[in-house]
Amino acid sequence: MLKGHLDMIVLAALAAGPAHGYAVIEKIKRRSNQAFDLPEGTIYPALHRLEQAGLLSSRWVTAESGRRRRVYALTRRGERAFAGHRAVWQQFSDAMGDLLAGARQRRRSA
Amino acid sequence: MISGYLETLSAALNFDRALAERVRQEVEDHLQQAIAADPSNGGIAAEHRAIAEFGDAQAVAAQFATLSVAEQMRKLGIALILVIAGVFVAMKGRIAWYAVTGGDLGHDMTPVTRIVGSIDRYSFWLAVIIGTGSFAYVVGRPVPTLVDARYRKQLRCVLVLCLAAIAPLVLSVISDGVLTAIRMGAELCAWSLVPIGTMAIEIGCVGILVFHFWIMRSRTVFAVSLLAP
């Protein structure tokens, strides 16, 4: 199920600001209370794919350790795409919430 | 252990050296951070865990290979349209030059030039039609996460369509070359520079296209082989 929403998850992790791949994975784990423990190797191809699609930009920086690190950031197009994803998800979540609440009420009254 | 893993990963992506190098550096940085953050504070066990959590090198490489193929497919689609436009402009430029310097082309028509001219015209417009169709098919296609059976079929279709556009375009450029040679005859003078120059542009354009096609084909073969059982 997560696979279908991978792009939105990655965009959400980067919505707060630029980050490198490892930090993106950590953010996803932390902000989802460890619920989204994705295979780490799938995040990097997703970052590259989103960059190819023009939703992310990236640049090399040198870390304190001296290693080169690729930092990703949302582009304007990426921000718009994320806002669109979020609106659709919110609508879906509200509708599903109403549906489940209705089912619970019917069970109680029966 | 880390270097072995990185070697496997970059060797699998060797068909796209720039991508292989970038992926290697990114993954190395990731694994080093994962090892540093491991509760055991480094060591073989931490390396094992970091690699296991990252996933199988071949499977990761296959995902990157899919992206590389998709990128090359997009480049090929754009190159196809630009090259057709370039050949058209060069052709029109040469005809305009003939009109300025030597009058109408029609007066020295022989049966041979008429036949070659027809081949040139029809093959060029065939390339335009198929090329435009290929471009529409390629551009805007979403990039899948893996080269699955459906995507493999799409790639085959793109390769066949592009080849079907390139073949008549090559024929058109050859015909242009024949017509230019007939028109110029044996004499070479300053006047010949424009026809020769425009022919060089046409040949260069087609060369670029064939090069992109060749890269696309080899990347597709590699990407598909990474997923082969």
Side-chain angles (χ1 to χ4, degrees):
Chain A
M1 185 196 155
L2 273 182
K3 225 174 173 183
H5 301 293
L6 184 58
D7 290 359
M8 186 172 62
I9 291 168
V10 172
L11 291 175
L14 285 165
H20 52 85
Y22 186 80
V24 168
I25 294 166
E26 288 300 303
K27 242 186 228 183
I28 292 170
K29 281 185 195 166
R30 200 176 57 244
R31 283 170 55 184
S32 69
N33 295 321
Q34 312 292 322
F36 296 168
D37 195 4
L38 295 154
E40 294 175 357
T42 60
I43 296 294
Y44 287 88
L47 287 167
H48 282 230
R49 193 178 60 250
L50 291 168
E51 189 183 1
Q52 245 179 41
L55 303 182
L56 299 182
S57 62
S58 72
R59 66 190 166 90
W60 287 110
V61 296
T62 306
E64 280 173 27
S65 60
R67 277 195 306 272
R68 288 180 81 210
R69 187 166 282 172
R70 194 83 177 175
V71 172
Y72 294 87
L74 285 187
T75 59
R76 285 266 167 86
R77 216 171 129 197
E79 284 170 6
R80 280 198 300 271
F82 176 57
H85 276 306
R86 193 165 51 185
V88 169
W89 182 261
Q90 197 60 56
Q91 221 174 356
F92 173 78
S93 166
D94 290 348
M96 189 58 89
D98 291 346
L99 188 72
L100 294 178
R104 245 196 323 266
Q105 263 176 0
R106 270 199 302 277
R107 231 189 356 253
R108 266 194 217 125
S109 55
Chain B
M1 185 182 287
I2 296 280
S3 60
Y5 181 84
L6 294 171
E7 275 307 315
T8 311
L9 189 59
S10 50
L13 293 171
N14 210 26
F15 61 90
D16 185 344
R17 294 226 172 116
L19 177 71
E21 187 50 36
R22 179 177 162 182
V23 169
R24 190 195 167 99
Q25 286 190 27
E26 278 196 272
V27 175
E28 184 177 12
D29 181 49
H30 174 96
L31 293 175
Q32 295 296 354
Q33 285 185 85
I35 291 165
D38 194 272
S40 71
N41 242 343
I44 295 289
E47 288 189 17
H48 262 298
R49 263 192 298 277
I51 290 173
E53 277 176 27
F54 202 82
D56 176 56
Q58 289 288 114
V60 174
Q63 294 179 60
F64 281 112
T66 307
L67 294 176
S68 175
V69 169
E71 175 66 6
Q72 190 52 37
M73 184 162 87
R74 198 181 59 84
K75 278 186 188 166
L76 181 62
I78 293 168
L80 196 55
I81 287 297
L82 290 179
V83 162
I84 289 173
V87 169
F88 182 74
V89 169
M91 230 156 44
K92 286 291 170 194
R94 191 167 52 250
I95 291 168
W97 176 254
Y98 289 149
V100 169
T101 58
D104 184 30
L105 261 178
H107 69 89
D108 56 356
M109 279 290 210
T110 64
V112 175
T113 54
R114 210 167 287 136
I115 291 167
V116 177
S118 297
I119 293 172
D120 183 13
R121 206 167 30 251
Y122 290 121
S123 54
F124 179 76
W125 288 112
L126 185 64
V128 169
I129 293 165
I130 302 173
T132 311
S134 310
F135 178 75
Y137 186 78
V138 164
V139 174
R141 200 155 277 274
V143 180
T145 46
L146 269 183
V147 180
D148 54 11
R150 195 167 155 230
Y151 193 56
R152 232 174 282 184
K153 210 171 156 187
Q154 282 177 12
L155 288 173
R156 242 194 323 267
C157 190
V158 169
L159 286 172
V160 169
L161 273 174
C162 289
L163 194 62
I166 292 169
L169 193 63
V170 169
L171 185 63
S172 169
V173 171
I174 291 170
S175 309
D176 273 344
V178 171
L179 288 173
T180 307
I182 291 171
R183 185 158 180 94
M184 280 178 10
E187 56 182 293
L188 274 177
C189 53
W191 174 89
S192 321
L193 279 178
V194 172
I196 290 173
T198 53
M199 269 317 302
I201 291 171
E202 285 188 37
I203 293 166
C205 283
V206 170
I208 290 169
L209 191 56
V210 170
F211 175 69
H212 276 291
F213 179 80
W214 178 77
I215 293 179
M216 166 81 189
R217 199 197 147 274
S218 42
R219 283 189 189 178
T220 304
V221 169
F222 273 109
V224 170
S225 72
L226 275 174
L227 291 162

